[in-house]
Amino acid sequence: MASFLGVGTGLAVWARDLVARGSVLRKARRENDAARGIVAYGEVPSESLLVGSSRSLVLGAPDEVRAPALCGLIKESVARGSSVVVVAEGARALADDLVSAGCPGVTLADAARPLYEPLARRTADDATELLEESLRLAPNAPQEAGAYAGALVRVLGRRGLPASVRLLAECPHNRLHEVIGRLELTGAIDAAEAADLRACLDVPTACRSFVEGFFREAVSEGALLADPLSTSLTTSVVDAALSPAPGTVVLDVGSGQARALLALVFAEARLCARHRAPLTLVVCAGSVADWDALAQPLRSAVGISWAIVTSEALEFFSSEDELRRWVASSSRVLCFAQGHASADLASSVFGEYDKVDVSFTRSGGGGFGTFGVNYTDGRSTTRSVKRERVVRPEELRALGEGEFFVLEAGRPGAGRGIAVR
């Protein structure tokens, strides 16, 4: 009988210990869930994903979510009197999706409808200001580049030609002094203006080559650039922002290497901010060369709303530091499923928390004695704390269709939901 009592005592201790372990583990789990702070949002209409956010970063949104989400943003922007300019790869498909999603008044500029001309209907001074802004965004731009480009605009004007990116790309840079001489002889300019133009155009050869290359690069990148003789039908970022009837302009930019063309677009956005013209700028691209340098004025501009929509975080952002800078400037970050490397990068922006780990150890043991089985209760519980990411990379890789994590400025923790039509 004593033997059976010993076994019973051991089983009772084991059962009591099992219950205690479960209680400790549940407590640790509750502590960890509270520390992570992930809020379950459940089903969220795709059209409301970007509503109420002036600066959004969207990673990995599938096509069926992207169009209605942008449509919701566009409707909100137009309702408050702000036009929307969308810069996109494959813009025609996106424009069709936006129309299908219910966006009114969508204007597309692409190779089939070359309507984009940032210099159309600008005064010489306004065109020069825009070109100076654009050239500042170009890597390694010479100091004299802006003044040189402004002089080219003035020469075009004196020849009776409109300011145009395509015409600037065709300028006879090696014969400009001859052009100025002919203008002076015909009375189109006086001696003082001729001298001023020559002074602006007398720049080092490297500067002349840089400006010439900038405009040629813009033309080679931009099949959407308008014909110089069709300037009355053109559109631009500034035109959209100043329009009395806010609408949506979609620009087809193959943005992978479109540095010169994007410099023009972002310089226009910078001028809109400077002159307090309401604008929402959306960039939909897989990658953009020199993105952080090109778009830095957009990130720091006051009064401009924007949304950056891309697929893989690591293809678009060159480093964790670059991604963190844009996250810090965003009021909302939405992250859908990511690939292996991008998931590791994207998960870092959701931060870390102190995770409690619980381990159990046992000392002593059981054996047979005078009264049967002896059971020694030598168990201990150890709690340790380690830093862990709030959203783990494997969670981002495993997200299902439409599932996302969201980080909202001004709100603690992250949220999780699923976008629905």
Side-chain angles (χ1 to χ4, degrees):
M1 178 65 71
S3 177
F4 286 108
L5 287 174
V7 171
T9 302
L11 291 175
V13 172
W14 173 82
R16 186 177 69 246
D17 182 65
L18 189 62
V19 171
R21 284 193 190 194
S23 177
V24 170
L25 290 172
R26 286 192 297 273
K27 180 181 178 182
R29 191 177 300 115
R30 288 193 299 269
E31 290 178 3
N32 289 334
D33 288 343
R36 289 183 75 191
I38 295 181
V39 178
Y41 290 136
E43 293 186 346
V44 180
S46 296
E47 191 165 309
S48 68
L49 287 175
L50 300 179
V51 171
S53 172
S54 60
R55 298 186 168 193
S56 300
L57 180 60
V58 184
L59 305 174
D63 291 345
E64 58 271 20
V65 172
R66 183 183 65 171
L70 290 180
C71 184
L73 173 66
I74 289 169
K75 288 179 178 179
E76 181 188 42
S77 298
V78 170
R80 67 169 186 265
S82 176
S83 289
V84 182
V85 173
V86 182
V87 179
E89 294 173 304
R92 177 167 292 277
L94 178 57
D96 291 343
D97 289 342
L98 291 176
V99 172
S100 298
C103 286
V106 175
T107 300
L108 172 65
D110 64 359
R113 300 187 68 213
L115 301 176
Y116 179 61
E117 178 49 74
L119 302 178
R121 297 176 294 281
R122 308 277 90 83
T123 66
D125 288 344
D126 288 344
T128 299
E129 182 184 22
L130 173 60
L131 293 177
E132 287 176 344
E133 288 284 348
S134 303
L135 289 165
R136 286 194 195 103
L137 298 178
N140 305 314
Q143 186 176 359
E144 311 92 336
Y148 180 84
L152 296 180
V153 170
R154 289 164 58 194
V155 169
L156 286 176
R158 293 306 186 215
R159 293 183 62 193
L161 296 171
S164 159
V165 176
R166 290 191 180 277
L167 288 180
L168 287 171
E170 296 170 3
C171 275
H173 294 268
N174 294 326
R175 295 186 292 106
L176 286 173
H177 282 280
E178 299 175 22
V179 174
I180 293 171
R182 287 197 297 270
L183 290 172
E184 189 176 7
L185 286 174
T186 60
I189 58 175
D190 57 25
E193 185 174 7
D196 183 54
L197 284 172
R198 289 190 182 98
C200 292
L201 294 171
D202 283 338
V203 297
T205 302
C207 177
R208 186 184 305 119
S209 298
F210 182 91
V211 175
E212 182 179 9
F214 177 86
F215 289 119
R216 288 186 175 176
E217 185 180 354
V219 170
S220 68
E221 295 163 349
L224 76 166
L225 284 167
D227 186 291
L229 302 180
S230 305
T231 53
S232 61
L233 303 175
T234 61
T235 189
S236 68
V237 176
V238 172
D239 286 340
L242 296 178
S243 173
T248 304
V249 176
V250 182
L251 304 177
D252 187 9
V253 178
S255 55
Q257 294 294 327
R259 289 173 292 189
L261 194 61
L262 283 172
L264 290 167
V265 172
F266 290 137
E268 283 202 272
R270 177 76 167 178
L271 293 183
C272 289
R274 183 178 300 168
H275 298 289
R276 301 182 183 276
L279 175 70
T280 297
L281 184 64
V282 178
V283 178
C284 295
S287 64
V288 175
D290 298 321
W291 164 256
D292 205 35
L294 277 172
Q296 189 277 331
L298 175 65
R299 183 164 54 84
S300 60
V302 177
I304 295 262
S305 297
W306 47 259
I308 310 302
V309 183
T310 188
S311 51
E312 291 287 330
L314 196 56
E315 290 180 12
F316 196 86
F317 298 100
S318 61
S319 67
E320 183 177 327
D321 286 342
E322 183 179 327
L323 174 57
R324 284 185 177 277
R325 285 194 293 272
W326 281 90
V327 169
S329 300
S330 302
S331 54
R332 184 174 300 163
V333 179
L334 291 161
C335 187
F336 293 80
Q338 294 286 286
H340 186 85
S342 291
D344 187 64
L345 177 65
S347 74
S348 67
V349 307
F350 292 94
E352 297 179 336
Y353 73 104
D354 289 328
K355 182 184 179 183
V356 175
D357 274 340
V358 178
S359 61
F360 303 94
T361 58
R362 176 188 172 191
S363 61
F368 288 93
T370 306
F371 298 100
V373 177
N374 294 324
Y375 193 90
T376 304
D377 187 8
R379 298 174 186 270
S380 63
T381 302
T382 303
R383 288 167 56 94
S384 60
V385 176
K386 67 177 182 180
R387 298 292 289 174
E388 186 168 294
R389 289 186 176 181
V390 172
V391 178
R392 297 185 299 277
E394 56 268 27
E395 291 181 288
L396 293 180
R397 292 194 292 268
L399 286 175
E401 191 70 26
E403 292 182 332
F404 64 88
F405 283 96
V406 60
L407 194 63
E408 195 94 19
R411 293 187 182 180
R416 181 169 184 169
I418 179 168
V420 295
R421 296 297 296 269

